[in-house]
Amino acid sequence: MEKSEKLQELITSEQKIKEEKNLSYDCDVCKKVFSLKCNLISHKCIHAGEKPYHCDVCGKSFSQKSALAQHKRIHTGVKPYRCDICGKSFFDNSNLTAHKRIHTGEKPYRCDICGKSFSQNSSVTLHKRIHTGEKPYRCDICGKSFSYNNTLTIHKRIHTGVKPYRCDICGNSFSDNSALTAHKHIHTGEKPYRCDVCGKSFTKNSHLTIHKRIHTGEKPYHCDICGNTFSVSSSLTQHKRIHTGEKPYRCDICGKSFSDKSALTTHKHIHTGEKPYCCDICGKSFTQNIHLTTHKRIHTAKKPYHCDISGNIFLDGSSITQHKRFHTSEKPYRCDICGKSFSDKSNFTRHKRIHTGEKTYRCHICGKLFSQNSSLTAHKRIHTGEKPYRCDICGNTFSVSSSLTQHKRFHHTGERPYHCDTCGKSFSQNSTLAQHKRIHSGVKSYHCDICGKSFLNGSSLTQHKHIHTGEKPYRCDICGKSYSHSSHLARHKHTHTGVKGKG
C-alpha cells in the first residue's frame, strides 16, 4: 500500500472514531479547535516554531505540509487555480478567491474604525495599523520600525546595498520589484492607474491612492501633538519635525540642515548650479519639477486656479493662496526679530536674511554673494550684458523686469499706484512707499553695528558706514575725486558743468 493511501486510511479511521465519540481537539496555546488530531499536531508547529517540512530545491522550511506544497509551485511554475473570467492563474486557491473579488467588486472585510472595506482579511489587518500606529517589524541594524514585513525587507537593503531588481532597458537597479515596475513606465510611458473621478493617470497605484484623497478629503494620518491631519504619512512625519525641531538632512557642502530630504536635494542645486527639469517647448531649466509644471502653463495658457472673490485666475495653487490674502489682509508669517509680518513665506524667508546677513547665492564669475537667487540672476547680467526686458514705447532695454516697470511709470505713463494712507502721497514703487511710511511711523529698522545709529532704509545705512570705513566708492569721471555719498558726487559734478543743483 502506498504511503499516501495509508495516511488517507488513518484520517478516515480517525474521522469515524471522532464521529462515534463526538471528539474535538483543542490547542492549549491559542484555544483553536480542530476536528482531526493530525491537524492539531500540524497547527502546534506554528507555536513551537518548528518547521519540519523542507523544500528539496532551495532548502526553505515550513511548519505545514500544505505550505510546502504551495511553495514548490514557485519552482515548478505550476498554477493550478485559474480564473474563469479573465483566465489568470494562481499558485493557491485563496489567491484565486481574493482575485475574483476584483471582478465582482466584493469587499467583505470592513474596518470597524473608519468603515473602509477590503477584499481580503489580511488587507484590513494591515490597514488598521494606520489607526493604531502599530509597527511590529523592527530593523535589527538601525532600530527603525515598520507596519509591514515587506517594508522592513525592502528597508534592510539600504544597509546591505542589495538591489536585486534590474531594468533590462537602461540597466538601473532597484531594491524592490514595485520600484522597478514603476520605473519601467518611464520607458513605456504607461500610466495604468486611472482616477475614476477626474481621469488623471498614474504610474503607481500608491500615487493613485494618495491622489484620490484630494477628492474624498480623507486625511487618515493624525498628529498626536497638535491634532493636524494629513493625507500621506510622509507629510505627517515631516510635520512632526516642526514640533521636535529635528532637521536630519544636512548639506555636506555648507552644513545647512533640512527637515525633509527633497528640500536638501533642491538646496544642493544652489551649489552645483544643476537644473535637471527642462521645458521641452522653450528649453528653460528648473531646479524643481513643480516649478517646471507651473512654467509649462505659460505655454498652454492654462490657469486652473480661480479666485471666487475677484475672479482672477492663477497658474498654481500657491499663487491663489497668496492672492487671497490681499482680500483677507492675512499675514501669517511674522519675523520674531523685528515683528514685521508677511503674506507669503518666500518674502518672509528673504526678509530674515536682512537680520542674519545670510547670503547663500554666489556668482561663479566674480564671487559676489547674494541673499536671493533672483538677485544673483539679475547680477549675472552685468557680466553677460544681457537686457531681456524691452520697453515697447521707446525701445529701452533693462536687465530686470522691475526696472522696466519703474521706467514706464516714470517716463511714459506717470502712474503712481502706491498710496500712503496717512498723507495721501503716491509713489511709483511699493518699496518707495514702504520707505516713506517710516517717516510717519518713525521706525528706523536699519542699525549701524559700529556706532548704533539707526536709519529709515538700507541705502542710508550703507552710505553711513562709509564714514567708519573711509570708503569712497563714488568717483568723478572728470577729475577723479571720490566721495562717500552719491549725492555729494552729484553736487560736485555741478562745479564742472556750471549747473547749480537744488538747495
Side-chain angles (χ1 to χ4, degrees):
M1 191 181 284
E2 292 289 332
K3 187 177 179 182
S4 60
E5 289 176 1
K6 284 181 180 180
L7 179 61
Q8 187 60 46
E9 188 180 300
L10 177 65
I11 293 168
T12 306
S13 174
E14 189 180 337
Q15 280 175 327
K16 285 178 182 177
I17 295 166
K18 183 253 175 190
E19 286 169 5
E20 288 171 5
K21 295 184 179 181
N22 194 27
L23 294 174
S24 65
Y25 301 95
D26 301 344
C27 174
D28 56 4
V29 180
C30 67
K31 307 306 176 188
K32 194 170 183 179
V33 180
F34 298 88
S35 58
L36 298 175
K37 191 176 182 179
C38 61
N39 287 348
L40 172 61
I41 293 167
S42 175
H43 165 77
K44 279 195 168 183
C45 292
I46 295 170
H47 299 301
E50 187 182 352
K51 295 183 178 181
Y53 302 99
H54 306 283
C55 175
D56 52 9
V57 179
C58 68
K60 194 171 183 179
S61 298
F62 300 87
S63 58
Q64 296 183 18
K65 193 174 183 180
S66 59
L68 171 60
Q70 184 180 326
H71 163 80
K72 279 192 168 182
R73 290 177 190 141
I74 295 170
H75 301 300
T76 62
V78 174
K79 293 182 178 181
Y81 301 97
R82 189 173 181 274
C83 176
D84 53 6
I85 299 170
C86 68
K88 194 171 182 179
S89 297
F90 299 88
F91 289 120
D92 67 285
N93 192 35
S94 61
N95 285 346
L96 172 60
T97 303
H99 162 80
K100 279 190 170 182
R101 290 177 185 138
I102 295 170
H103 301 299
T104 63
E106 184 190 6
K107 292 183 178 182
Y109 303 100
R110 189 173 179 274
C111 173
D112 55 8
I113 299 170
C114 68
K116 194 171 183 181
S117 297
F118 300 86
S119 58
Q120 296 181 59
N121 191 30
S122 58
S123 297
V124 77
T125 302
L126 295 175
H127 162 79
K128 278 190 172 182
R129 289 178 183 149
I130 294 173
H131 302 299
T132 63
E134 183 190 6
K135 294 184 177 181
Y137 302 99
R138 189 174 180 275
C139 176
D140 54 7
I141 299 170
C142 68
K144 193 172 182 180
S145 296
F146 301 87
S147 302
Y148 316 112
N149 189 31
N150 65 323
T151 313
L152 171 60
T153 303
I154 293 165
H155 163 80
K156 280 191 169 181
R157 290 177 185 146
I158 295 170
H159 301 299
T160 61
V162 174
K163 292 184 178 180
Y165 303 97
R166 189 174 181 274
C167 176
D168 54 6
I169 300 170
C170 68
N172 275 357
S173 295
F174 300 87
S175 58
D176 66 289
N177 192 33
S178 60
L180 171 60
T181 303
H183 163 79
K184 281 191 169 181
H185 294 151
I186 295 170
H187 300 299
T188 63
E190 184 188 5
K191 291 183 177 182
Y193 303 100
R194 189 174 180 274
C195 177
D196 53 8
V197 180
C198 68
K200 193 172 183 180
S201 297
F202 300 87
T203 56
K204 288 183 174 182
N205 190 30
S206 59
H207 292 170
L208 172 60
T209 303
I210 292 166
H211 163 81
K212 278 189 170 182
R213 290 174 186 149
I214 295 170
H215 302 300
T216 63
E218 184 191 7
K219 293 183 177 183
Y221 302 97
H222 301 264
C223 175
D224 54 7
I225 299 169
C226 68
N228 274 357
T229 55
F230 301 87
S231 57
V232 289
S233 60
S234 58
S235 296
L236 171 60
T237 303
Q238 185 179 332
H239 162 79
K240 279 192 169 180
R241 290 177 184 143
I242 295 171
H243 300 300
T244 62
E246 183 190 8
K247 292 184 177 181
Y249 303 99
R250 189 174 180 274
C251 176
D252 53 7
I253 300 170
C254 69
K256 193 172 183 179
S257 296
F258 299 86
S259 58
D260 67 290
K261 194 175 183 180
S262 60
L264 171 60
T265 304
T266 303
H267 163 80
K268 280 193 168 182
H269 294 151
I270 294 169
H271 301 298
T272 62
E274 184 187 5
K275 291 184 178 181
Y277 303 99
C278 183
C279 176
D280 53 7
I281 300 170
C282 68
K284 192 172 183 179
S285 296
F286 300 86
T287 56
Q288 294 183 58
N289 190 30
I290 192 170
H291 292 166
L292 171 60
T293 303
T294 302
H295 162 80
K296 279 190 169 182
R297 291 176 186 145
I298 295 169
H299 301 299
T300 61
K302 185 181 177 184
K303 292 184 177 182
Y305 301 93
H306 299 260
C307 174
D308 52 8
I309 299 169
S310 64
N312 282 356
I313 53 175
F314 298 88
L315 294 172
D316 60 278
S318 60
S319 294
I320 192 169
T321 302
Q322 185 180 330
H323 162 79
K324 280 188 173 182
R325 289 178 184 144
F326 283 110
H327 300 302
T328 62
S329 299
E330 184 191 5
K331 292 185 177 182
Y333 304 99
R334 188 177 182 276
C335 177
D336 53 8
I337 299 170
C338 69
K340 193 172 181 181
S341 297
F342 299 86
S343 58
D344 70 292
K345 194 175 181 180
S346 57
N347 286 343
F348 173 51
T349 303
R350 282 195 290 269
H351 165 80
K352 275 188 145 183
R353 290 177 185 145
I354 295 170
H355 301 299
T356 62
E358 182 188 5
K359 293 183 178 181
T360 54
Y361 302 95
R362 188 175 182 274
C363 175
H364 68 284
I365 300 170
C366 68
K368 192 172 182 179
L369 294 168
F370 298 88
S371 58
Q372 299 176 49
N373 190 31
S374 58
S375 299
L376 171 60
T377 303
H379 163 80
K380 280 185 174 180
R381 291 177 185 142
I382 295 170
H383 300 298
T384 62
E386 183 190 6
K387 291 184 178 182
Y389 302 98
R390 188 175 182 275
C391 177
D392 54 4
I393 299 169
C394 67
N396 275 357
T397 55
F398 301 87
S399 58
V400 289
S401 61
S402 59
S403 296
L404 171 59
T405 303
Q406 185 183 341
H407 160 82
K408 279 187 168 184
R409 287 173 182 159
F410 192 77
H411 294 284
H412 302 300
T413 66
E415 182 190 8
R416 293 188 170 197
Y418 303 100
H419 307 280
C420 175
D421 51 11
T422 306
C423 68
K425 194 171 182 181
S426 299
F427 300 88
S428 58
Q429 295 181 74
N430 191 30
S431 59
T432 312
L433 169 62
Q435 185 177 322
H436 162 80
K437 279 188 170 184
R438 292 184 191 127
I439 296 169
H440 300 300
S441 65
V443 174
K444 295 183 177 181
S445 307
Y446 301 90
H447 307 280
C448 176
D449 54 6
I450 300 169
C451 69
K453 193 173 181 180
S454 298
F455 299 87
L456 292 172
N457 53 64
S459 59
S460 297
L461 172 60
T462 302
Q463 290 206 355
H464 162 79
K465 281 192 171 181
H466 295 152
I467 296 169
H468 299 299
T469 61
E471 186 183 2
K472 294 183 177 181
Y474 303 99
R475 189 172 179 274
C476 176
D477 53 6
I478 299 171
C479 68
K481 196 170 183 179
S482 296
Y483 297 87
S484 58
H485 290 253
S486 58
S487 59
H488 294 171
L489 172 61
R491 197 158 50 238
H492 160 79
K493 278 192 170 183
H494 296 151
T495 59
H496 298 296
T497 61
V499 177
K500 289 185 178 181
K502 288 180 183 180

